[in-house]
Amino acid sequence: MVAAEAALSPIDGVFRALADPTRRRVLERLSRSPASVSELAAPFDMALPSFVEHLGILERSGLVRSQKKGRVRTYQLAPRRLRLAEDWLARQRDLWERRLDQLDDYLMHLHGKQGKDAP
């Protein structure tokens, strides 16, 4: 799976990481403060190796970074990478708002024509 992730563009990796509810909850938790693996894993009903896989995906996507001191690995949010997704979504929103405005103009034009054609 790591080889497949390496082939992803940075934004694809971000969206892949964000696609999973467990990973989104981890990001929400890390938005409050850094945390150890055990602190992050505590609320989840899953085996630790499975949970650590989620952390690996988040780290490879650039959404979190970790630091090891002794036997404790601590994770923290790396918010700069979220801007990739935010910028992409903003461009999509702008595109669809323009399209909807054009549709609205067209429908208003049709409505105006129908009003003129009425007896």
Side-chain angles (χ1 to χ4, degrees):
M1 184 120 81
V2 175
E5 288 174 17
L8 296 175
S9 71
I11 194 164
D12 291 338
V14 168
F15 278 114
R16 178 176 185 262
L18 293 173
D20 184 88
T22 298
R23 294 190 288 265
R24 289 193 306 271
R25 285 183 55 202
V26 168
L27 292 173
E28 289 169 7
R29 166 56 186 87
L30 290 175
S31 70
R32 295 191 302 270
S33 66
S36 69
V37 173
S38 58
E39 289 173 312
L40 292 170
F44 299 96
D45 184 27
M46 71 175 65
L48 190 59
S50 296
F51 184 77
V52 169
E53 240 180 84
H54 285 290
L55 293 175
I57 291 169
L58 287 169
E59 192 161 23
R60 287 188 297 277
S61 74
L63 293 171
V64 302
R65 60 180 168 263
S66 69
Q67 183 176 15
K68 189 171 184 178
K69 287 190 180 178
R71 293 174 47 193
V72 177
R73 181 167 294 277
T74 303
Y75 284 82
Q76 64 183 24
L77 193 61
R80 293 176 81 193
R81 190 55 73 113
L82 280 171
R83 286 194 191 113
L84 285 175
E86 182 181 357
D87 292 346
W88 186 87
L89 289 168
R91 286 192 306 273
Q92 297 308 305
R93 182 179 52 244
D94 290 345
L95 172 72
W96 282 102
E97 285 175 354
R98 281 195 313 274
R99 287 180 177 177
L100 289 172
D101 287 344
Q102 290 172 346
L103 177 61
D104 188 47
D105 290 346
Y106 176 73
L107 293 174
M108 293 300 284
H109 175 76
L110 283 181
H111 181 68
K113 274 185 152 180
Q114 286 178 350
K116 292 179 184 176
D117 294 341

